[in-house]
mmCIF file of all heavy atoms in Angstrom:
data_model
loop_
_atom_site.group_PDB
_atom_site.id
_atom_site.type_symbol
_atom_site.label_atom_id
_atom_site.label_comp_id
_atom_site.label_asym_id
_atom_site.label_seq_id
_atom_site.Cartn_x
_atom_site.Cartn_y
_atom_site.Cartn_z
ATOM 1 N N GLU A 62 13.931 16.190 -2.911
ATOM 2 C CA GLU A 62 13.016 15.244 -2.446
ATOM 3 C C GLU A 62 11.668 15.896 -2.231
ATOM 4 O O GLU A 62 11.620 16.936 -1.543
ATOM 5 C CB GLU A 62 13.510 14.585 -1.126
ATOM 6 C CG GLU A 62 14.670 13.716 -1.353
ATOM 7 C CD GLU A 62 14.369 12.437 -2.068
ATOM 8 O OE1 GLU A 62 13.350 11.790 -1.660
ATOM 9 O OE2 GLU A 62 15.113 12.008 -2.893
ATOM 10 N N VAL A 63 10.622 15.375 -2.838
ATOM 11 C CA VAL A 63 9.259 15.997 -2.756
ATOM 12 C C VAL A 63 8.319 14.917 -2.218
ATOM 13 O O VAL A 63 8.364 13.772 -2.709
ATOM 14 C CB VAL A 63 8.809 16.458 -4.118
ATOM 15 C CG1 VAL A 63 7.495 17.081 -4.180
ATOM 16 C CG2 VAL A 63 9.859 17.468 -4.727
ATOM 17 N N ASP A 64 7.406 15.344 -1.369
ATOM 18 C CA ASP A 64 6.343 14.427 -0.920
ATOM 19 C C ASP A 64 5.323 14.316 -2.052
ATOM 20 O O ASP A 64 4.637 15.294 -2.358
ATOM 21 C CB ASP A 64 5.700 14.882 0.359
ATOM 22 C CG ASP A 64 4.661 13.979 0.936
ATOM 23 O OD1 ASP A 64 4.426 12.887 0.360
ATOM 24 O OD2 ASP A 64 4.021 14.315 1.935
ATOM 25 N N VAL A 65 5.241 13.162 -2.687
ATOM 26 C CA VAL A 65 4.413 12.913 -3.796
ATOM 27 C C VAL A 65 3.180 12.123 -3.456
ATOM 28 O O VAL A 65 2.435 11.656 -4.423
ATOM 29 C CB VAL A 65 5.148 12.359 -5.001
ATOM 30 C CG1 VAL A 65 6.215 13.278 -5.522
ATOM 31 C CG2 VAL A 65 5.749 11.034 -4.606
ATOM 32 N N LEU A 66 2.902 11.916 -2.196
ATOM 33 C CA LEU A 66 1.797 10.985 -1.834
ATOM 34 C C LEU A 66 0.491 11.365 -2.456
ATOM 35 O O LEU A 66 -0.211 10.519 -3.039
ATOM 36 C CB LEU A 66 1.687 10.894 -0.322
ATOM 37 C CG LEU A 66 0.685 9.886 0.266
ATOM 38 C CD1 LEU A 66 0.938 8.475 -0.316
ATOM 39 C CD2 LEU A 66 0.636 9.941 1.767
ATOM 40 N N GLU A 67 0.095 12.667 -2.297
ATOM 41 C CA GLU A 67 -1.213 13.075 -2.881
ATOM 42 C C GLU A 67 -1.182 13.024 -4.345
ATOM 43 O O GLU A 67 -2.292 12.832 -4.913
ATOM 44 C CB GLU A 67 -1.555 14.474 -2.338
ATOM 45 C CG GLU A 67 -1.885 14.571 -0.899
ATOM 46 C CD GLU A 67 -2.378 15.882 -0.398
ATOM 47 O OE1 GLU A 67 -2.889 16.640 -1.272
ATOM 48 O OE2 GLU A 67 -2.140 16.169 0.771
ATOM 49 N N LEU A 68 -0.074 13.238 -4.969
ATOM 50 C CA LEU A 68 0.006 13.184 -6.422
ATOM 51 C C LEU A 68 -0.146 11.751 -7.018
ATOM 52 O O LEU A 68 -0.811 11.580 -8.065
ATOM 53 C CB LEU A 68 1.268 13.769 -6.970
ATOM 54 C CG LEU A 68 1.552 15.213 -6.591
ATOM 55 C CD1 LEU A 68 2.998 15.586 -6.989
ATOM 56 C CD2 LEU A 68 0.549 16.099 -7.322
ATOM 57 N N ILE A 69 0.410 10.773 -6.301
ATOM 58 C CA ILE A 69 0.365 9.382 -6.854
ATOM 59 C C ILE A 69 -0.828 8.568 -6.364
ATOM 60 O O ILE A 69 -1.189 7.567 -7.008
ATOM 61 C CB ILE A 69 1.648 8.613 -6.574
ATOM 62 C CG1 ILE A 69 1.902 8.420 -5.032
ATOM 63 C CG2 ILE A 69 2.883 9.289 -7.193
ATOM 64 C CD1 ILE A 69 3.056 7.551 -4.704
ATOM 65 N N THR A 70 -1.478 9.061 -5.313
ATOM 66 C CA THR A 70 -2.591 8.241 -4.762
ATOM 67 C C THR A 70 -3.688 7.961 -5.754
ATOM 68 O O THR A 70 -4.144 6.770 -5.801
ATOM 69 C CB THR A 70 -3.184 8.993 -3.545
ATOM 70 O OG1 THR A 70 -2.174 9.108 -2.570
ATOM 71 C CG2 THR A 70 -4.328 8.194 -2.933
ATOM 72 N N PRO A 71 -4.065 8.814 -6.666
ATOM 73 C CA PRO A 71 -5.067 8.431 -7.628
ATOM 74 C C PRO A 71 -4.640 7.362 -8.641
ATOM 75 O O PRO A 71 -5.456 6.725 -9.348
ATOM 76 C CB PRO A 71 -5.442 9.758 -8.399
ATOM 77 C CG PRO A 71 -4.949 10.806 -7.528
ATOM 78 C CD PRO A 71 -3.737 10.258 -6.759
ATOM 79 N N TYR A 72 -3.317 7.172 -8.810
ATOM 80 C CA TYR A 72 -2.816 6.292 -9.781
ATOM 81 C C TYR A 72 -2.275 4.928 -9.315
ATOM 82 O O TYR A 72 -1.936 4.068 -10.177
ATOM 83 C CB TYR A 72 -1.673 7.029 -10.572
ATOM 84 C CG TYR A 72 -2.180 8.313 -11.107
ATOM 85 C CD1 TYR A 72 -1.820 9.539 -10.507
ATOM 86 C CD2 TYR A 72 -2.970 8.437 -12.222
ATOM 87 C CE1 TYR A 72 -2.274 10.806 -10.975
ATOM 88 C CE2 TYR A 72 -3.499 9.661 -12.753
ATOM 89 C CZ TYR A 72 -3.094 10.799 -12.093
ATOM 90 O OH TYR A 72 -3.560 11.999 -12.530
ATOM 91 N N ILE A 73 -2.123 4.820 -8.031
ATOM 92 C CA ILE A 73 -1.629 3.528 -7.509
ATOM 93 C C ILE A 73 -2.634 3.100 -6.420
ATOM 94 O O ILE A 73 -3.347 3.842 -5.894
ATOM 95 C CB ILE A 73 -0.158 3.607 -6.943
ATOM 96 C CG1 ILE A 73 -0.145 4.508 -5.714
ATOM 97 C CG2 ILE A 73 0.801 4.146 -7.961
ATOM 98 C CD1 ILE A 73 1.153 4.443 -4.919
ATOM 99 N N ASP A 74 -2.501 1.794 -6.129
ATOM 100 C CA ASP A 74 -3.297 1.242 -5.100
ATOM 101 C C ASP A 74 -2.520 1.134 -3.811
ATOM 102 O O ASP A 74 -1.565 0.357 -3.714
ATOM 103 C CB ASP A 74 -3.767 -0.226 -5.494
ATOM 104 C CG ASP A 74 -4.818 -0.820 -4.528
ATOM 105 O OD1 ASP A 74 -5.067 -0.220 -3.483
ATOM 106 O OD2 ASP A 74 -5.319 -1.881 -4.860
ATOM 107 N N LEU A 75 -2.791 2.048 -2.877
ATOM 108 C CA LEU A 75 -2.046 2.117 -1.584
ATOM 109 C C LEU A 75 -2.189 0.821 -0.827
ATOM 110 O O LEU A 75 -1.335 0.470 -0.075
ATOM 111 C CB LEU A 75 -2.451 3.247 -0.772
ATOM 112 C CG LEU A 75 -1.986 4.619 -1.263
ATOM 113 C CD1 LEU A 75 -2.439 5.759 -0.336
ATOM 114 C CD2 LEU A 75 -0.467 4.645 -1.381
ATOM 115 N N ASP A 76 -3.289 0.083 -1.080
ATOM 116 C CA ASP A 76 -3.371 -1.294 -0.386
ATOM 117 C C ASP A 76 -2.262 -2.150 -0.764
ATOM 118 O O ASP A 76 -1.797 -2.952 0.005
ATOM 119 C CB ASP A 76 -4.791 -1.919 -0.664
ATOM 120 C CG ASP A 76 -5.973 -1.130 -0.074
ATOM 121 O OD1 ASP A 76 -5.733 -0.455 0.875
ATOM 122 O OD2 ASP A 76 -7.031 -1.352 -0.601
ATOM 123 N N ASP A 77 -1.818 -2.104 -2.071
ATOM 124 C CA ASP A 77 -0.701 -2.948 -2.477
ATOM 125 C C ASP A 77 0.576 -2.533 -1.758
ATOM 126 O O ASP A 77 1.376 -3.376 -1.366
ATOM 127 C CB ASP A 77 -0.481 -2.808 -3.964
ATOM 128 C CG ASP A 77 -1.608 -3.498 -4.822
ATOM 129 O OD1 ASP A 77 -2.304 -4.333 -4.268
ATOM 130 O OD2 ASP A 77 -1.711 -3.167 -5.985
ATOM 131 N N VAL A 78 0.713 -1.243 -1.598
ATOM 132 C CA VAL A 78 1.957 -0.707 -0.868
ATOM 133 C C VAL A 78 1.853 -1.170 0.554
ATOM 134 O O VAL A 78 2.898 -1.661 1.127
ATOM 135 C CB VAL A 78 2.115 0.832 -0.981
ATOM 136 C CG1 VAL A 78 3.213 1.291 -0.093
ATOM 137 C CG2 VAL A 78 2.232 1.258 -2.452
ATOM 138 N N GLU A 79 0.730 -1.031 1.178
ATOM 139 C CA GLU A 79 0.590 -1.444 2.562
ATOM 140 C C GLU A 79 0.885 -2.958 2.732
ATOM 141 O O GLU A 79 1.441 -3.392 3.650
ATOM 142 C CB GLU A 79 -0.806 -1.156 3.092
ATOM 143 C CG GLU A 79 -1.003 0.340 3.242
ATOM 144 C CD GLU A 79 -2.450 0.787 3.557
ATOM 145 O OE1 GLU A 79 -3.364 -0.162 3.683
ATOM 146 O OE2 GLU A 79 -2.745 1.994 3.775
ATOM 147 N N GLN A 80 0.390 -3.817 1.736
ATOM 148 C CA GLN A 80 0.612 -5.237 1.832
ATOM 149 C C GLN A 80 2.090 -5.559 1.638
ATOM 150 O O GLN A 80 2.620 -6.442 2.308
ATOM 151 C CB GLN A 80 -0.182 -5.911 0.726
ATOM 152 C CG GLN A 80 -0.122 -7.399 0.834
ATOM 153 C CD GLN A 80 -0.682 -7.958 2.207
ATOM 154 O OE1 GLN A 80 -1.773 -7.590 2.608
ATOM 155 N NE2 GLN A 80 0.113 -8.744 2.931
ATOM 156 N N GLN A 81 2.829 -4.797 0.837
ATOM 157 C CA GLN A 81 4.253 -5.009 0.746
ATOM 158 C C GLN A 81 4.969 -4.725 2.022
ATOM 159 O O GLN A 81 5.868 -5.435 2.449
ATOM 160 C CB GLN A 81 4.847 -4.103 -0.410
ATOM 161 C CG GLN A 81 4.560 -4.527 -1.782
ATOM 162 C CD GLN A 81 5.231 -3.705 -2.826
ATOM 163 O OE1 GLN A 81 6.406 -3.430 -2.708
ATOM 164 N NE2 GLN A 81 4.468 -3.339 -3.862
ATOM 165 N N ILE A 82 4.496 -3.648 2.683
ATOM 166 C CA ILE A 82 5.079 -3.297 4.026
ATOM 167 C C ILE A 82 4.736 -4.428 5.030
ATOM 168 O O ILE A 82 5.720 -4.879 5.752
ATOM 169 C CB ILE A 82 4.479 -1.974 4.553
ATOM 170 C CG1 ILE A 82 5.022 -0.856 3.591
ATOM 171 C CG2 ILE A 82 4.905 -1.735 5.964
ATOM 172 C CD1 ILE A 82 4.255 0.469 3.799
ATOM 173 N N ILE A 83 3.541 -4.947 5.036
ATOM 174 C CA ILE A 83 3.159 -6.042 5.964
ATOM 175 C C ILE A 83 3.978 -7.255 5.636
ATOM 176 O O ILE A 83 4.538 -7.889 6.595
ATOM 177 C CB ILE A 83 1.646 -6.355 5.881
ATOM 178 C CG1 ILE A 83 0.835 -5.163 6.438
ATOM 179 C CG2 ILE A 83 1.339 -7.652 6.545
ATOM 180 C CD1 ILE A 83 -0.637 -5.202 6.191
ATOM 181 N N ASP A 84 4.093 -7.630 4.390
ATOM 182 C CA ASP A 84 4.890 -8.793 3.992
ATOM 183 C C ASP A 84 6.384 -8.619 4.423
ATOM 184 O O ASP A 84 6.996 -9.610 4.956
ATOM 185 C CB ASP A 84 4.903 -9.006 2.503
ATOM 186 C CG ASP A 84 3.470 -9.427 2.001
ATOM 187 O OD1 ASP A 84 2.621 -9.821 2.808
ATOM 188 O OD2 ASP A 84 3.237 -9.373 0.812
ATOM 189 N N GLU A 85 6.923 -7.493 4.304
ATOM 190 C CA GLU A 85 8.318 -7.259 4.674
ATOM 191 C C GLU A 85 8.464 -7.441 6.150
ATOM 192 O O GLU A 85 9.452 -8.070 6.678
ATOM 193 C CB GLU A 85 8.784 -5.843 4.262
ATOM 194 C CG GLU A 85 10.243 -5.613 4.507
ATOM 195 C CD GLU A 85 10.780 -4.385 3.858
ATOM 196 O OE1 GLU A 85 10.702 -4.214 2.641
ATOM 197 O OE2 GLU A 85 11.276 -3.537 4.600
ATOM 198 N N HIS A 86 7.521 -6.873 6.943
ATOM 199 C CA HIS A 86 7.647 -7.015 8.439
ATOM 200 C C HIS A 86 7.441 -8.481 8.847
ATOM 201 O O HIS A 86 8.106 -8.951 9.802
ATOM 202 C CB HIS A 86 6.587 -6.134 9.154
ATOM 203 C CG HIS A 86 7.120 -4.720 9.184
ATOM 204 N ND1 HIS A 86 7.832 -4.297 10.260
ATOM 205 C CD2 HIS A 86 6.956 -3.691 8.366
ATOM 206 C CE1 HIS A 86 8.150 -3.005 10.083
ATOM 207 N NE2 HIS A 86 7.564 -2.619 8.957
ATOM 208 N N GLU A 87 6.558 -9.222 8.171
ATOM 209 C CA GLU A 87 6.325 -10.615 8.481
ATOM 210 C C GLU A 87 7.619 -11.400 8.189
ATOM 211 O O GLU A 87 7.995 -12.303 8.940
ATOM 212 C CB GLU A 87 5.171 -11.176 7.742
ATOM 213 C CG GLU A 87 3.861 -10.662 8.323
ATOM 214 C CD GLU A 87 2.611 -11.220 7.538
ATOM 215 O OE1 GLU A 87 2.774 -11.738 6.414
ATOM 216 O OE2 GLU A 87 1.547 -11.024 8.008
ATOM 217 N N ASP A 88 8.327 -11.041 7.103
ATOM 218 C CA ASP A 88 9.594 -11.715 6.782
ATOM 219 C C ASP A 88 10.603 -11.469 7.850
ATOM 220 O O ASP A 88 11.357 -12.322 8.291
ATOM 221 C CB ASP A 88 10.117 -11.269 5.449
ATOM 222 C CG ASP A 88 9.339 -11.823 4.262
ATOM 223 O OD1 ASP A 88 8.500 -12.795 4.495
ATOM 224 O OD2 ASP A 88 9.513 -11.365 3.131
ATOM 225 N N TRP A 89 10.665 -10.202 8.364
ATOM 226 C CA TRP A 89 11.638 -9.845 9.381
ATOM 227 C C TRP A 89 11.324 -10.624 10.675
ATOM 228 O O TRP A 89 12.251 -11.032 11.456
ATOM 229 C CB TRP A 89 11.533 -8.357 9.765
ATOM 230 C CG TRP A 89 12.062 -7.437 8.727
ATOM 231 C CD1 TRP A 89 12.920 -7.709 7.701
ATOM 232 C CD2 TRP A 89 11.715 -6.065 8.608
ATOM 233 N NE1 TRP A 89 13.173 -6.605 6.935
ATOM 234 C CE2 TRP A 89 12.423 -5.604 7.462
ATOM 235 C CE3 TRP A 89 10.926 -5.189 9.291
ATOM 236 C CZ2 TRP A 89 12.361 -4.195 7.047
ATOM 237 C CZ3 TRP A 89 10.893 -3.840 8.854
ATOM 238 C CH2 TRP A 89 11.596 -3.403 7.783
ATOM 239 N N LEU A 90 10.030 -10.865 10.919
ATOM 240 C CA LEU A 90 9.680 -11.562 12.185
ATOM 241 C C LEU A 90 9.734 -13.073 12.044
ATOM 242 O O LEU A 90 9.479 -13.775 12.986
ATOM 243 C CB LEU A 90 8.263 -11.099 12.656
ATOM 244 C CG LEU A 90 8.104 -9.583 12.965
ATOM 245 C CD1 LEU A 90 6.687 -9.310 13.233
ATOM 246 C CD2 LEU A 90 8.945 -9.289 14.231
#
Side-chain angles (χ1 to χ4, degrees):
E62 292 288 315
V63 177
D64 183 2
V65 295
L66 185 58
E67 289 186 29
L68 298 172
I69 64 175
T70 299
Y72 305 103
I73 67 168
D74 188 352
L75 286 181
D76 290 340
D77 290 341
V78 174
E79 291 173 358
Q80 189 60 51
Q81 287 185 46
I82 293 167
I83 290 168
D84 292 346
E85 186 169 301
H86 279 272
E87 287 177 349
D88 286 347
W89 289 340
L90 297 172

